[in-house]
Amino acid sequence: MSFLRTRAKGHTATLLCTLLACVAIVLAGCGGTSVTSAASAQENYVVDVQLSGGSGRASVSSPCTVVKDGDSYVATLVWSSSSYDKMTIDGKDYVPTTTDPGSTFEIPIKLDCDMAIQAETTAMSEAHTIEYVLRFDSTTLVAASDAGNSSPDSDAAKSQAASTQVGDFHNTDIGCGWQPTGTVELAYATHFTIDAFEGGYKLICVSNGERFLMVPEGGEVPDGLSSDISAICLPANRTYLVSSSTMCLIDAIGAIDNIKMSATKAEDCSVAGFAQALQSGAMVYGGKYSAPDYERIASEGITLAIENNMINHNPDVKEKLISLGLTVLTEQSSLEGTVLGRLEWVKLYGVLFGSEDKAEQVFEAQRASIEAVAQKNASKDSSIKVAYFYINSNGAAVTRRSGDYVAQMVRLAGGTYALDDTQEGSGSTSSVALEMEQFFLLARDADVIIYSSSIDDSVHSIDDLVAKNNLLSQFKAVQSGNVWSTGTNIYQQMTSSAEVISELSQAIEGSDGQGFTQLTKLN
């Protein structure tokens, strides 16, 4: 554990030194003139946004985050669909920074006016451009740090405030005077907490502002419980699981029997236990996150839904689930910046499904495996540069930011992440879309290329990759033949992180990939 933290601190220190050096250079070039840096002038806000036009089926997340720089505003706009690959505003095209959880764009905006925009979607058989109007309401503009207080009934505002100030969400005041008797130790996860109370009660706080009190079997919900806390009466054995990335964690602790309904079909599920349960009928398909089968949910007596952040784009779905008597827990593991932080969410599922000891064992085993791989790679020549990306339908290279867990896996494997030397490592999303010319300048000298087939499964050879853009033929890794692809379901295989790091380490060393299960070498 100390080794991983030391490396993370070292990387942070390097980035900080680089940033300070850049600031010094900028100031030196000012010739002594008193100026205010752009970074210090920037302010973070959230604001309500309205979308009109189109068929009415699409929506955008509201409120959204806004960065104010002088008199200009740049908003991070998240669509309810991952199929939007271009927005056009005042004749200028913008590509998404990520499509997970939905197509996300960073766009300049104006407050209190109708902004006519065009958005291209690939959801149909061919690309279609649709006319929309956006309106950002200045009366709802509040500082991001105050967003949780601006609208007490706004789940999105609570989520934004929590993600901005992660440490502020831990609140053990449950409203009835009870005091916690202990806290579950978390070594890496930063987006949830677990506190114990007398009688077997446990409180889960999640960084989006949600709080849940686990009521032991046979226990009663305490009088005076705070209105923002949802009580989950154990056993939680009638659960609708929407977040597919958590399946492997639930499988690892032997808790599949608690999941009665899934938002993933058997043919799309890479976790064998879940696929078998769906095929046998022990678990049923309940529809995707945006269109659940409400009738079946009611008939099956489902009491708990475990969602991911996509549900924030469909608040009406969440409200409907709650009206049917379900408790909705929105897991935040994708926001963790470290591999072990994501894996430590297994402890939350251990509490939910009565498998705390097993969850602890699973996490410690994962930690031991990852630390062993990291220790083995500690003395490697970290000058080997690795580029991780996919090409979206607009021709942009979508890669992960340098603070993301994928970049950390590269470093743990003994490599250097291709975006480490750019300011693209900071931002409001875990991914960033770069025009190919810019990506070429950053990554053309990468020694290893990892293509994300979990997003784009059309690349099966180096020729397929180069067909995406001929500039890729000039990449060092393409010319040397050191090009790899991930499995299509790698995001469902969180518990295979140690294997991914190990295989990535071998790819860096020049392996031919024989016997690999997570990466495939392209010819």
PDB file of all heavy atoms in Angstrom, residues 96-133:
ATOM      1  N   PRO A  96     -17.020  15.182 -28.574  1.00  0.00           N
ATOM      2  CA  PRO A  96     -17.171  14.822 -27.160  1.00  0.00           C
ATOM      3  C   PRO A  96     -15.839  14.535 -26.487  1.00  0.00           C
ATOM      4  O   PRO A  96     -14.921  13.991 -27.100  1.00  0.00           O
ATOM      5  CB  PRO A  96     -18.064  13.569 -27.206  1.00  0.00           C
ATOM      6  CG  PRO A  96     -17.859  12.999 -28.571  1.00  0.00           C
ATOM      7  CD  PRO A  96     -17.620  14.163 -29.468  1.00  0.00           C
ATOM      8  N   THR A  97     -15.744  14.906 -25.220  1.00  0.00           N
ATOM      9  CA  THR A  97     -14.564  14.568 -24.438  1.00  0.00           C
ATOM     10  C   THR A  97     -14.636  13.136 -23.941  1.00  0.00           C
ATOM     11  O   THR A  97     -13.622  12.517 -23.642  1.00  0.00           O
ATOM     12  CB  THR A  97     -14.416  15.500 -23.231  1.00  0.00           C
ATOM     13  OG1 THR A  97     -15.580  15.393 -22.404  1.00  0.00           O
ATOM     14  CG2 THR A  97     -14.259  16.949 -23.687  1.00  0.00           C
ATOM     15  N   THR A  98     -15.857  12.608 -23.838  1.00  0.00           N
ATOM     16  CA  THR A  98     -16.075  11.216 -23.448  1.00  0.00           C
ATOM     17  C   THR A  98     -17.494  10.827 -23.827  1.00  0.00           C
ATOM     18  O   THR A  98     -18.340  11.699 -24.058  1.00  0.00           O
ATOM     19  CB  THR A  98     -15.866  11.010 -21.930  1.00  0.00           C
ATOM     20  OG1 THR A  98     -16.050   9.630 -21.609  1.00  0.00           O
ATOM     21  CG2 THR A  98     -16.849  11.835 -21.118  1.00  0.00           C
ATOM     22  N   THR A  99     -17.761   9.541 -23.933  1.00  0.00           N
ATOM     23  CA  THR A  99     -19.121   9.052 -24.155  1.00  0.00           C
ATOM     24  C   THR A  99     -19.599   8.220 -22.980  1.00  0.00           C
ATOM     25  O   THR A  99     -20.596   7.507 -23.074  1.00  0.00           O
ATOM     26  CB  THR A  99     -19.184   8.207 -25.445  1.00  0.00           C
ATOM     27  OG1 THR A  99     -18.230   7.139 -25.359  1.00  0.00           O
ATOM     28  CG2 THR A  99     -18.907   9.055 -26.664  1.00  0.00           C
ATOM     29  N   ASP A 100     -18.859   8.284 -21.869  1.00  0.00           N
ATOM     30  CA  ASP A 100     -19.198   7.521 -20.674  1.00  0.00           C
ATOM     31  C   ASP A 100     -19.273   8.481 -19.492  1.00  0.00           C
ATOM     32  O   ASP A 100     -18.272   9.099 -19.141  1.00  0.00           O
ATOM     33  CB  ASP A 100     -18.123   6.446 -20.419  1.00  0.00           C
ATOM     34  CG  ASP A 100     -18.388   5.619 -19.179  1.00  0.00           C
ATOM     35  OD1 ASP A 100     -19.539   5.626 -18.708  1.00  0.00           O
ATOM     36  OD2 ASP A 100     -17.444   4.979 -18.680  1.00  0.00           O
ATOM     37  N   PRO A 101     -20.487   8.728 -18.897  1.00  0.00           N
ATOM     38  CA  PRO A 101     -21.687   7.914 -19.058  1.00  0.00           C
ATOM     39  C   PRO A 101     -22.557   8.317 -20.241  1.00  0.00           C
ATOM     40  O   PRO A 101     -23.378   7.563 -20.708  1.00  0.00           O
ATOM     41  CB  PRO A 101     -22.434   8.146 -17.742  1.00  0.00           C
ATOM     42  CG  PRO A 101     -22.037   9.518 -17.335  1.00  0.00           C
ATOM     43  CD  PRO A 101     -20.617   9.676 -17.777  1.00  0.00           C
ATOM     44  N   GLY A 102     -22.435   9.529 -20.757  1.00  0.00           N
ATOM     45  CA  GLY A 102     -23.164   9.969 -21.940  1.00  0.00           C
ATOM     46  C   GLY A 102     -22.257  10.896 -22.733  1.00  0.00           C
ATOM     47  O   GLY A 102     -21.218  11.341 -22.240  1.00  0.00           O
ATOM     48  N   SER A 103     -22.611  11.210 -23.972  1.00  0.00           N
ATOM     49  CA  SER A 103     -21.773  12.100 -24.781  1.00  0.00           C
ATOM     50  C   SER A 103     -21.599  13.423 -24.041  1.00  0.00           C
ATOM     51  O   SER A 103     -22.574  14.097 -23.715  1.00  0.00           O
ATOM     52  CB  SER A 103     -22.414  12.333 -26.144  1.00  0.00           C
ATOM     53  OG  SER A 103     -22.437  11.137 -26.898  1.00  0.00           O
ATOM     54  N   THR A 104     -20.346  13.779 -23.771  1.00  0.00           N
ATOM     55  CA  THR A 104     -20.033  14.933 -22.941  1.00  0.00           C
ATOM     56  C   THR A 104     -19.216  15.939 -23.751  1.00  0.00           C
ATOM     57  O   THR A 104     -18.205  15.585 -24.349  1.00  0.00           O
ATOM     58  CB  THR A 104     -19.237  14.501 -21.692  1.00  0.00           C
ATOM     59  OG1 THR A 104     -20.011  13.534 -20.960  1.00  0.00           O
ATOM     60  CG2 THR A 104     -18.932  15.684 -20.802  1.00  0.00           C
ATOM     61  N   PHE A 105     -19.689  17.195 -23.772  1.00  0.00           N
ATOM     62  CA  PHE A 105     -19.038  18.241 -24.555  1.00  0.00           C
ATOM     63  C   PHE A 105     -18.680  19.410 -23.651  1.00  0.00           C
ATOM     64  O   PHE A 105     -19.424  19.732 -22.718  1.00  0.00           O
ATOM     65  CB  PHE A 105     -19.972  18.761 -25.657  1.00  0.00           C
ATOM     66  CG  PHE A 105     -20.303  17.759 -26.725  1.00  0.00           C
ATOM     67  CD1 PHE A 105     -21.282  16.799 -26.521  1.00  0.00           C
ATOM     68  CD2 PHE A 105     -19.644  17.786 -27.948  1.00  0.00           C
ATOM     69  CE1 PHE A 105     -21.601  15.881 -27.508  1.00  0.00           C
ATOM     70  CE2 PHE A 105     -19.956  16.875 -28.941  1.00  0.00           C
ATOM     71  CZ  PHE A 105     -20.934  15.914 -28.718  1.00  0.00           C
ATOM     72  N   GLU A 106     -17.560  20.040 -23.931  1.00  0.00           N
ATOM     73  CA  GLU A 106     -17.188  21.282 -23.280  1.00  0.00           C
ATOM     74  C   GLU A 106     -17.378  22.383 -24.315  1.00  0.00           C
ATOM     75  O   GLU A 106     -16.648  22.448 -25.307  1.00  0.00           O
ATOM     76  CB  GLU A 106     -15.756  21.213 -22.758  1.00  0.00           C
ATOM     77  CG  GLU A 106     -15.598  20.196 -21.634  1.00  0.00           C
ATOM     78  CD  GLU A 106     -14.186  20.090 -21.088  1.00  0.00           C
ATOM     79  OE1 GLU A 106     -13.286  20.716 -21.681  1.00  0.00           O
ATOM     80  OE2 GLU A 106     -13.983  19.376 -20.091  1.00  0.00           O
ATOM     81  N   ILE A 107     -18.378  23.257 -24.077  1.00  0.00           N
ATOM     82  CA  ILE A 107     -18.789  24.228 -25.098  1.00  0.00           C
ATOM     83  C   ILE A 107     -18.899  25.630 -24.498  1.00  0.00           C
ATOM     84  O   ILE A 107     -19.237  25.794 -23.326  1.00  0.00           O
ATOM     85  CB  ILE A 107     -20.154  23.839 -25.717  1.00  0.00           C
ATOM     86  CG1 ILE A 107     -21.221  23.750 -24.622  1.00  0.00           C
ATOM     87  CG2 ILE A 107     -20.047  22.527 -26.486  1.00  0.00           C
ATOM     88  CD1 ILE A 107     -22.632  23.587 -25.149  1.00  0.00           C
ATOM     89  N   PRO A 108     -18.617  26.656 -25.301  1.00  0.00           N
ATOM     90  CA  PRO A 108     -18.845  28.033 -24.835  1.00  0.00           C
ATOM     91  C   PRO A 108     -20.341  28.313 -24.809  1.00  0.00           C
ATOM     92  O   PRO A 108     -21.086  27.844 -25.678  1.00  0.00           O
ATOM     93  CB  PRO A 108     -18.133  28.870 -25.901  1.00  0.00           C
ATOM     94  CG  PRO A 108     -18.195  28.028 -27.142  1.00  0.00           C
ATOM     95  CD  PRO A 108     -18.087  26.599 -26.673  1.00  0.00           C
ATOM     96  N   ILE A 109     -20.793  29.050 -23.809  1.00  0.00           N
ATOM     97  CA  ILE A 109     -22.233  29.319 -23.696  1.00  0.00           C
ATOM     98  C   ILE A 109     -22.473  30.791 -23.404  1.00  0.00           C
ATOM     99  O   ILE A 109     -21.569  31.531 -23.011  1.00  0.00           O
ATOM    100  CB  ILE A 109     -22.888  28.471 -22.587  1.00  0.00           C
ATOM    101  CG1 ILE A 109     -22.330  28.875 -21.205  1.00  0.00           C
ATOM    102  CG2 ILE A 109     -22.697  26.998 -22.843  1.00  0.00           C
ATOM    103  CD1 ILE A 109     -23.142  28.337 -20.038  1.00  0.00           C
ATOM    104  N   LYS A 110     -23.724  31.205 -23.586  1.00  0.00           N
ATOM    105  CA  LYS A 110     -24.195  32.518 -23.184  1.00  0.00           C
ATOM    106  C   LYS A 110     -25.385  32.309 -22.254  1.00  0.00           C
ATOM    107  O   LYS A 110     -26.194  31.406 -22.459  1.00  0.00           O
ATOM    108  CB  LYS A 110     -24.603  33.334 -24.409  1.00  0.00           C
ATOM    109  CG  LYS A 110     -23.459  33.629 -25.371  1.00  0.00           C
ATOM    110  CD  LYS A 110     -23.942  34.396 -26.589  1.00  0.00           C
ATOM    111  CE  LYS A 110     -22.791  34.664 -27.561  1.00  0.00           C
ATOM    112  NZ  LYS A 110     -23.259  35.357 -28.779  1.00  0.00           N
ATOM    113  N   LEU A 111     -25.463  33.125 -21.244  1.00  0.00           N
ATOM    114  CA  LEU A 111     -26.550  33.014 -20.278  1.00  0.00           C
ATOM    115  C   LEU A 111     -27.778  33.779 -20.757  1.00  0.00           C
ATOM    116  O   LEU A 111     -27.676  34.798 -21.447  1.00  0.00           O
ATOM    117  CB  LEU A 111     -26.109  33.550 -18.917  1.00  0.00           C
ATOM    118  CG  LEU A 111     -24.906  32.856 -18.259  1.00  0.00           C
ATOM    119  CD1 LEU A 111     -24.535  33.577 -16.966  1.00  0.00           C
ATOM    120  CD2 LEU A 111     -25.210  31.393 -17.983  1.00  0.00           C
ATOM    121  N   ASP A 112     -28.955  33.257 -20.388  1.00  0.00           N
ATOM    122  CA  ASP A 112     -30.233  33.942 -20.584  1.00  0.00           C
ATOM    123  C   ASP A 112     -30.544  34.272 -22.040  1.00  0.00           C
ATOM    124  O   ASP A 112     -31.119  35.326 -22.352  1.00  0.00           O
ATOM    125  CB  ASP A 112     -30.288  35.226 -19.743  1.00  0.00           C
ATOM    126  CG  ASP A 112     -30.141  34.947 -18.264  1.00  0.00           C
ATOM    127  OD1 ASP A 112     -30.641  33.909 -17.799  1.00  0.00           O
ATOM    128  OD2 ASP A 112     -29.507  35.766 -17.572  1.00  0.00           O
ATOM    129  N   CYS A 113     -30.141  33.402 -22.939  1.00  0.00           N
ATOM    130  CA  CYS A 113     -30.545  33.572 -24.333  1.00  0.00           C
ATOM    131  C   CYS A 113     -30.739  32.199 -24.956  1.00  0.00           C
ATOM    132  O   CYS A 113     -30.192  31.204 -24.462  1.00  0.00           O
ATOM    133  CB  CYS A 113     -29.519  34.385 -25.115  1.00  0.00           C
ATOM    134  SG  CYS A 113     -27.960  33.540 -25.402  1.00  0.00           S
ATOM    135  N   ASP A 114     -31.537  32.137 -25.996  1.00  0.00           N
ATOM    136  CA  ASP A 114     -31.769  30.865 -26.686  1.00  0.00           C
ATOM    137  C   ASP A 114     -30.603  30.609 -27.633  1.00  0.00           C
ATOM    138  O   ASP A 114     -30.382  31.356 -28.586  1.00  0.00           O
ATOM    139  CB  ASP A 114     -33.082  30.914 -27.471  1.00  0.00           C
ATOM    140  CG  ASP A 114     -34.295  30.939 -26.551  1.00  0.00           C
ATOM    141  OD1 ASP A 114     -34.156  30.514 -25.391  1.00  0.00           O
ATOM    142  OD2 ASP A 114     -35.363  31.402 -26.986  1.00  0.00           O
ATOM    143  N   MET A 115     -29.851  29.541 -27.355  1.00  0.00           N
ATOM    144  CA  MET A 115     -28.698  29.177 -28.175  1.00  0.00           C
ATOM    145  C   MET A 115     -29.112  28.091 -29.168  1.00  0.00           C
ATOM    146  O   MET A 115     -29.414  26.959 -28.774  1.00  0.00           O
ATOM    147  CB  MET A 115     -27.556  28.651 -27.300  1.00  0.00           C
ATOM    148  CG  MET A 115     -26.924  29.681 -26.393  1.00  0.00           C
ATOM    149  SD  MET A 115     -25.596  28.940 -25.366  1.00  0.00           S
ATOM    150  CE  MET A 115     -24.547  28.187 -26.634  1.00  0.00           C
ATOM    151  N   ALA A 116     -29.140  28.442 -30.443  1.00  0.00           N
ATOM    152  CA  ALA A 116     -29.452  27.463 -31.479  1.00  0.00           C
ATOM    153  C   ALA A 116     -28.215  26.611 -31.745  1.00  0.00           C
ATOM    154  O   ALA A 116     -27.141  27.147 -32.028  1.00  0.00           O
ATOM    155  CB  ALA A 116     -29.906  28.158 -32.755  1.00  0.00           C
ATOM    156  N   ILE A 117     -28.366  25.302 -31.624  1.00  0.00           N
ATOM    157  CA  ILE A 117     -27.226  24.410 -31.842  1.00  0.00           C
ATOM    158  C   ILE A 117     -27.666  23.239 -32.714  1.00  0.00           C
ATOM    159  O   ILE A 117     -28.858  22.958 -32.861  1.00  0.00           O
ATOM    160  CB  ILE A 117     -26.634  23.894 -30.506  1.00  0.00           C
ATOM    161  CG1 ILE A 117     -27.681  23.087 -29.708  1.00  0.00           C
ATOM    162  CG2 ILE A 117     -26.136  25.036 -29.660  1.00  0.00           C
ATOM    163  CD1 ILE A 117     -27.442  21.634 -29.643  1.00  0.00           C
ATOM    164  N   GLN A 118     -26.694  22.571 -33.305  1.00  0.00           N
ATOM    165  CA  GLN A 118     -26.942  21.333 -34.036  1.00  0.00           C
ATOM    166  C   GLN A 118     -26.149  20.217 -33.360  1.00  0.00           C
ATOM    167  O   GLN A 118     -25.011  20.419 -32.951  1.00  0.00           O
ATOM    168  CB  GLN A 118     -26.512  21.444 -35.503  1.00  0.00           C
ATOM    169  CG  GLN A 118     -27.305  22.456 -36.327  1.00  0.00           C
ATOM    170  CD  GLN A 118     -26.791  23.862 -36.125  1.00  0.00           C
ATOM    171  OE1 GLN A 118     -25.593  24.098 -36.102  1.00  0.00           O
ATOM    172  NE2 GLN A 118     -27.713  24.808 -35.968  1.00  0.00           N
ATOM    173  N   ALA A 119     -26.764  19.058 -33.237  1.00  0.00           N
ATOM    174  CA  ALA A 119     -26.092  17.905 -32.637  1.00  0.00           C
ATOM    175  C   ALA A 119     -26.248  16.710 -33.563  1.00  0.00           C
ATOM    176  O   ALA A 119     -27.354  16.421 -34.038  1.00  0.00           O
ATOM    177  CB  ALA A 119     -26.671  17.586 -31.265  1.00  0.00           C
ATOM    178  N   GLU A 120     -25.135  16.054 -33.851  1.00  0.00           N
ATOM    179  CA  GLU A 120     -25.153  14.888 -34.743  1.00  0.00           C
ATOM    180  C   GLU A 120     -25.200  13.616 -33.916  1.00  0.00           C
ATOM    181  O   GLU A 120     -24.400  13.421 -33.008  1.00  0.00           O
ATOM    182  CB  GLU A 120     -23.917  14.883 -35.625  1.00  0.00           C
ATOM    183  CG  GLU A 120     -23.877  13.729 -36.629  1.00  0.00           C
ATOM    184  CD  GLU A 120     -22.649  13.775 -37.514  1.00  0.00           C
ATOM    185  OE1 GLU A 120     -22.688  14.489 -38.534  1.00  0.00           O
ATOM    186  OE2 GLU A 120     -21.650  13.116 -37.173  1.00  0.00           O
ATOM    187  N   THR A 121     -26.161  12.746 -34.226  1.00  0.00           N
ATOM    188  CA  THR A 121     -26.293  11.480 -33.512  1.00  0.00           C
ATOM    189  C   THR A 121     -26.118  10.315 -34.463  1.00  0.00           C
ATOM    190  O   THR A 121     -26.520  10.378 -35.633  1.00  0.00           O
ATOM    191  CB  THR A 121     -27.669  11.363 -32.818  1.00  0.00           C
ATOM    192  OG1 THR A 121     -27.776  10.070 -32.204  1.00  0.00           O
ATOM    193  CG2 THR A 121     -28.812  11.536 -33.806  1.00  0.00           C
ATOM    194  N   THR A 122     -25.504   9.252 -33.964  1.00  0.00           N
ATOM    195  CA  THR A 122     -25.304   8.027 -34.747  1.00  0.00           C
ATOM    196  C   THR A 122     -26.209   6.917 -34.235  1.00  0.00           C
ATOM    197  O   THR A 122     -25.984   5.745 -34.528  1.00  0.00           O
ATOM    198  CB  THR A 122     -23.834   7.571 -34.663  1.00  0.00           C
ATOM    199  OG1 THR A 122     -23.488   7.338 -33.288  1.00  0.00           O
ATOM    200  CG2 THR A 122     -22.913   8.616 -35.245  1.00  0.00           C
ATOM    201  N   ALA A 123     -27.237   7.277 -33.461  1.00  0.00           N
ATOM    202  CA  ALA A 123     -28.115   6.263 -32.865  1.00  0.00           C
ATOM    203  C   ALA A 123     -28.938   5.542 -33.916  1.00  0.00           C
ATOM    204  O   ALA A 123     -29.379   4.413 -33.710  1.00  0.00           O
ATOM    205  CB  ALA A 123     -29.037   6.912 -31.834  1.00  0.00           C
ATOM    206  N   MET A 124     -29.157   6.194 -35.067  1.00  0.00           N
ATOM    207  CA  MET A 124     -29.917   5.571 -36.145  1.00  0.00           C
ATOM    208  C   MET A 124     -28.960   4.895 -37.123  1.00  0.00           C
ATOM    209  O   MET A 124     -27.762   4.839 -36.877  1.00  0.00           O
ATOM    210  CB  MET A 124     -30.789   6.624 -36.820  1.00  0.00           C
ATOM    211  CG  MET A 124     -31.895   7.144 -35.892  1.00  0.00           C
ATOM    212  SD  MET A 124     -32.703   8.653 -36.467  1.00  0.00           S
ATOM    213  CE  MET A 124     -31.615   9.896 -35.767  1.00  0.00           C
ATOM    214  N   SER A 125     -29.471   4.389 -38.192  1.00  0.00           N
ATOM    215  CA  SER A 125     -28.645   3.603 -39.110  1.00  0.00           C
ATOM    216  C   SER A 125     -27.535   4.440 -39.735  1.00  0.00           C
ATOM    217  O   SER A 125     -26.513   3.925 -40.156  1.00  0.00           O
ATOM    218  CB  SER A 125     -29.526   2.988 -40.215  1.00  0.00           C
ATOM    219  OG  SER A 125     -30.231   3.999 -40.917  1.00  0.00           O
ATOM    220  N   GLU A 126     -27.752   5.757 -39.819  1.00  0.00           N
ATOM    221  CA  GLU A 126     -26.720   6.654 -40.327  1.00  0.00           C
ATOM    222  C   GLU A 126     -26.765   7.943 -39.517  1.00  0.00           C
ATOM    223  O   GLU A 126     -27.723   8.209 -38.787  1.00  0.00           O
ATOM    224  CB  GLU A 126     -26.942   6.954 -41.809  1.00  0.00           C
ATOM    225  CG  GLU A 126     -28.295   7.563 -42.127  1.00  0.00           C
ATOM    226  CD  GLU A 126     -28.510   7.752 -43.616  1.00  0.00           C
ATOM    227  OE1 GLU A 126     -27.907   6.985 -44.396  1.00  0.00           O
ATOM    228  OE2 GLU A 126     -29.255   8.672 -43.985  1.00  0.00           O
ATOM    229  N   ALA A 127     -25.696   8.729 -39.614  1.00  0.00           N
ATOM    230  CA  ALA A 127     -25.605   9.942 -38.817  1.00  0.00           C
ATOM    231  C   ALA A 127     -26.700  10.935 -39.201  1.00  0.00           C
ATOM    232  O   ALA A 127     -26.996  11.126 -40.384  1.00  0.00           O
ATOM    233  CB  ALA A 127     -24.228  10.575 -38.988  1.00  0.00           C
ATOM    234  N   HIS A 128     -27.333  11.533 -38.198  1.00  0.00           N
ATOM    235  CA  HIS A 128     -28.360  12.549 -38.418  1.00  0.00           C
ATOM    236  C   HIS A 128     -28.025  13.786 -37.593  1.00  0.00           C
ATOM    237  O   HIS A 128     -27.599  13.676 -36.439  1.00  0.00           O
ATOM    238  CB  HIS A 128     -29.743  12.036 -38.009  1.00  0.00           C
ATOM    239  CG  HIS A 128     -30.365  11.102 -39.003  1.00  0.00           C
ATOM    240  ND1 HIS A 128     -29.949   9.797 -39.155  1.00  0.00           N
ATOM    241  CD2 HIS A 128     -31.355  11.288 -39.914  1.00  0.00           C
ATOM    242  CE1 HIS A 128     -30.678   9.211 -40.102  1.00  0.00           C
ATOM    243  NE2 HIS A 128     -31.526  10.094 -40.575  1.00  0.00           N
ATOM    244  N   THR A 129     -28.228  14.956 -38.187  1.00  0.00           N
ATOM    245  CA  THR A 129     -28.037  16.219 -37.478  1.00  0.00           C
ATOM    246  C   THR A 129     -29.394  16.755 -37.058  1.00  0.00           C
ATOM    247  O   THR A 129     -30.321  16.850 -37.874  1.00  0.00           O
ATOM    248  CB  THR A 129     -27.316  17.242 -38.366  1.00  0.00           C
ATOM    249  OG1 THR A 129     -26.024  16.734 -38.723  1.00  0.00           O
ATOM    250  CG2 THR A 129     -27.151  18.563 -37.630  1.00  0.00           C
ATOM    251  N   ILE A 130     -29.515  17.089 -35.774  1.00  0.00           N
ATOM    252  CA  ILE A 130     -30.792  17.516 -35.203  1.00  0.00           C
ATOM    253  C   ILE A 130     -30.635  18.923 -34.638  1.00  0.00           C
ATOM    254  O   ILE A 130     -29.619  19.247 -34.012  1.00  0.00           O
ATOM    255  CB  ILE A 130     -31.257  16.547 -34.102  1.00  0.00           C
ATOM    256  CG1 ILE A 130     -31.343  15.120 -34.656  1.00  0.00           C
ATOM    257  CG2 ILE A 130     -32.598  16.970 -33.520  1.00  0.00           C
ATOM    258  CD1 ILE A 130     -31.646  14.070 -33.611  1.00  0.00           C
ATOM    259  N   GLU A 131     -31.651  19.749 -34.864  1.00  0.00           N
ATOM    260  CA  GLU A 131     -31.638  21.121 -34.367  1.00  0.00           C
ATOM    261  C   GLU A 131     -32.181  21.154 -32.936  1.00  0.00           C
ATOM    262  O   GLU A 131     -33.227  20.573 -32.635  1.00  0.00           O
ATOM    263  CB  GLU A 131     -32.511  22.023 -35.258  1.00  0.00           C
ATOM    264  CG  GLU A 131     -32.139  22.009 -36.736  1.00  0.00           C
ATOM    265  CD  GLU A 131     -30.913  22.854 -37.020  1.00  0.00           C
ATOM    266  OE1 GLU A 131     -30.594  23.737 -36.186  1.00  0.00           O
ATOM    267  OE2 GLU A 131     -30.273  22.639 -38.075  1.00  0.00           O
ATOM    268  N   TYR A 132     -31.449  21.847 -32.049  1.00  0.00           N
ATOM    269  CA  TYR A 132     -31.896  22.012 -30.670  1.00  0.00           C
ATOM    270  C   TYR A 132     -31.708  23.466 -30.249  1.00  0.00           C
ATOM    271  O   TYR A 132     -31.009  24.251 -30.917  1.00  0.00           O
ATOM    272  CB  TYR A 132     -31.066  21.144 -29.718  1.00  0.00           C
ATOM    273  CG  TYR A 132     -31.276  19.658 -29.855  1.00  0.00           C
ATOM    274  CD1 TYR A 132     -30.332  18.874 -30.516  1.00  0.00           C
ATOM    275  CD2 TYR A 132     -32.388  19.030 -29.299  1.00  0.00           C
ATOM    276  CE1 TYR A 132     -30.494  17.501 -30.618  1.00  0.00           C
ATOM    277  CE2 TYR A 132     -32.555  17.655 -29.399  1.00  0.00           C
ATOM    278  CZ  TYR A 132     -31.608  16.896 -30.058  1.00  0.00           C
ATOM    279  OH  TYR A 132     -31.779  15.542 -30.168  1.00  0.00           O
ATOM    280  N   VAL A 133     -32.303  23.795 -29.121  1.00  0.00           N
ATOM    281  CA  VAL A 133     -32.092  25.098 -28.495  1.00  0.00           C
ATOM    282  C   VAL A 133     -31.728  24.864 -27.035  1.00  0.00           C
ATOM    283  O   VAL A 133     -32.406  24.129 -26.316  1.00  0.00           O
ATOM    284  CB  VAL A 133     -33.345  25.998 -28.581  1.00  0.00           C
ATOM    285  CG1 VAL A 133     -33.134  27.282 -27.773  1.00  0.00           C
ATOM    286  CG2 VAL A 133     -33.659  26.335 -30.033  1.00  0.00           C
TER     287      VAL A 133
END
